Amino acid sequence: MSSDQKEAANVGVFTAIEHAEYGHPASVLRLVERPMSEVEPGPHDALVRVSKRPIHPGDLLMIAGDKRGGRAAPIPAGAPRTPGFEGVGVIEKLGSNAAHQGQFAVGQRVMFLSGMGRTWATYSKVPVTSLVAVPDEVSDAVAAQILINTMTAQVVLRAGHNALPVPELPVTVIQTAAGSSVMRIVTALGQKIGLTMIRLVRTRAGAELLEASLPGAPVIATEASGWQEQVRSAMGSRPVHVIFDAVGAALVDDLTSLLSDGGTVVNFGWLGTGAPDLSGFAPRGLAFKGVVFTEWMNFSLAEQKQHRDMAMQLAKEAPHVFAIAGEYPLADFRKAIEHASGPGKNGVVLLTSQVGL
Ligand SMILES: NC(=O)c1ccc[n+]([C@@H]2O[C@H](COP(=O)([O-])OP(=O)(O)OC[C@H]3O[C@@H](n4cnc5c(N)ncnc54)[C@H](OP(=O)(O)O)[C@@H]3O)[C@@H](O)[C@H]2O)c1
């Protein structure tokens, strides 16, 4: 009997992807069955049957134990780790206190940050405080990728705002890896608040793809010779005090020539190779500011609500911002990871499982 058949027959197992050691995802990950007792909700939890979850670059870095993905805590013997930072699904069961809170109901669609109940599994046990209701107009494929990437985008925008010499528009910003899922949201939110964006991608093909799928700001390919001149021409006489960067590495050297003295590179990813030379930063008063999405938790509750509302609004009115590169059943996780890791991808790769078997 297959995993799905066993689940359908309700024989008390769920399917999960797990790893007992850090290493190359294709080598260390395996698909297993685990007892449902592991996800039995406590008084303040919900049991969510997960339908879709993204493969974030951070998921793959974390599985590999790469420091760019954050601190890899030791995996205790006999307690393998299931990846997955967020997901979407349907509430199947509510813990006793959670049921009395009345905010959520069995059968409701929710998205959530996983906490300890990782999402690369057909079921997650989730504290009700981590659940966010999904409006009918927002598809599962969009809802599955909203939380972390919009939080990251808001943290990036805030860091950029804080780096301005005067908090006044007009502001011109350069973005690297502009076709990435996070940067697409940064572009959309930045345009809403009146920023002028100049977008960099590494290939001409990527530039064409981005211009077609998210028009509205110039896109320049860094594989073209003289790309800095193209950027200067797009800048005109406007200074650039802030660069939003997800590539880091050797590209930082090229970027700083475009930045005004006293300017800041706001960096949230390290997709590139080679080491930057920061020796010219001090004489020009430049700053390199790393940010991480968890800083969003430090925003006030009113700001968090405002950001959530903005994210939902964006998902409803411009779902194409949350592009979907491909969807694969959990069992095909190796193919999905290959797709997620490869070049030329437009959007997020999702792992899927059926809801309501
Ligand atoms: N700090 C945080 O809290 C945080 C949160 C979320 C994400 N991140 C990081 O942010 C980055 C983007 O994440 P994402 O989910 O938005 O990515 P994504 O959707 O997987 O897209 C990756 C993009 O990066 C481009 N790219 C890959 N390697 C590149 C290189 N060497 N030079 C230039 N462009 C390159 C790809 O372009 P092609 O089309 O040319 O392949 C693609 O557009 C990742 O490094 C991720 O780890 C950090």
Side-chain angles (χ1 to χ4, degrees):
M1 196 186 263
S2 74
S3 301
D4 275 1
Q5 284 169 328
K6 280 189 192 169
E7 283 193 31
N10 196 17
V11 294
V13 293
F14 69 103
T15 306
I17 294 172
E18 64 177 35
H19 59 117
E21 58 185 326
Y22 294 106
H24 192 282
S27 312
V28 298
L29 292 177
R30 53 201 174 122
L31 193 72
V32 298
E33 288 170 357
R34 303 200 63 91
M36 285 299 292
S37 55
E38 285 185 2
V39 286
E40 181 62 26
H44 303 282
D45 299 325
L47 174 67
V48 178
R49 182 162 185 125
V50 186
S51 60
K52 295 183 198 285
R53 65 295 275 160
I55 300 180
H56 284 301
D59 284 310
L60 301 178
L61 293 170
M62 180 61 87
I63 294 162
D66 185 316
K67 67 179 178 189
R68 291 175 295 170
R71 198 180 78 84
I75 303 172
R81 172 182 180 275
T82 288
F85 298 127
E86 69 181 311
V88 64
V90 168
I91 297 177
E92 277 215 351
K93 204 169 173 184
L94 284 164
S96 51
N97 284 356
H100 292 137
Q101 282 182 0
Q103 270 180 306
F104 293 99
V106 169
Q108 189 173 353
R109 284 170 72 228
V110 286
M111 53 190 175
F112 58 98
L113 290 182
S114 59
M116 294 306 286
R118 304 285 180 182
T119 60
W120 290 14
T122 49
Y123 283 94
S124 276
K125 178 171 75 168
V126 188
V128 275
T129 49
S130 298
L131 299 176
V132 178
V134 181
D136 289 345
E137 306 94 308
V138 177
S139 69
D140 276 10
V142 171
Q145 53 167 300
I146 286 182
L147 292 174
I148 289 177
N149 285 352
T150 60
M151 289 159 70
T152 310
Q154 292 290 358
V155 167
V156 168
L157 287 166
R158 175 63 54 87
H161 176 81
N162 291 344
L164 292 176
V166 281
E168 283 171 11
L169 297 177
V171 173
T172 300
V173 178
I174 296 171
Q175 298 169 265
T176 69
S180 71
S181 305
V182 174
M183 281 300 193
R184 292 168 66 92
I185 299 168
V186 171
T187 305
L189 295 178
Q191 286 175 328
K192 270 180 185 283
I193 58 172
L195 304 184
T196 299
M197 321 294 276
I198 300 171
R199 299 180 288 177
L200 302 182
V201 297
R202 59 179 166 174
T203 64
R204 289 187 188 84
E208 276 173 28
L209 192 62
L210 183 57
E211 259 164 353
S213 68
L214 199 66
V219 186
I220 294 162
T222 57
E223 74 175 1
S225 62
W227 64 268
Q228 285 109 324
E229 277 318 305
Q230 290 183 52
V231 176
R232 283 197 189 89
S233 154
M235 285 163 61
S237 57
R238 294 164 303 199
V240 167
H241 297 291
V242 175
I243 293 176
F244 294 150
D245 174 43
V247 176
L251 186 64
V252 175
D253 297 343
D254 294 322
L255 295 175
T256 50
S257 67
L258 301 164
L259 200 55
S260 294
D261 285 357
T264 302
V265 177
V266 175
N267 173 274
F268 64 93
W270 206 262
L271 292 159
T273 52
D277 172 9
L278 302 186
S279 61
F281 270 53
R284 294 184 52 209
L286 302 178
F288 189 86
K289 168 77 179 145
V291 294
V292 60
F293 77 92
T294 47
E295 291 170 36
W296 186 83
M297 309 291 185
N298 301 330
F299 291 171
S300 71
L301 289 179
E303 284 174 318
Q304 291 185 3
K305 178 174 180 332
Q306 189 197 12
H307 293 167
R308 279 275 151 77
D309 291 348
M310 283 169 75
M312 287 314 176
Q313 194 56 34
L314 189 63
K316 285 182 203 171
E317 71 191 23
H320 60 281
V321 171
F322 302 87
I324 298 136
E327 301 194 31
Y328 297 81
L330 266 186
D332 286 343
F333 67 89
R334 285 194 177 83
K335 275 191 211 155
I337 287 171
E338 201 179 321
H339 187 177
S341 316
K345 169 174 62 89
N346 184 39
V348 174
V349 173
L350 299 164
L351 290 167
T352 66
S353 44
Q354 281 180 291
V355 163
L357 278 174

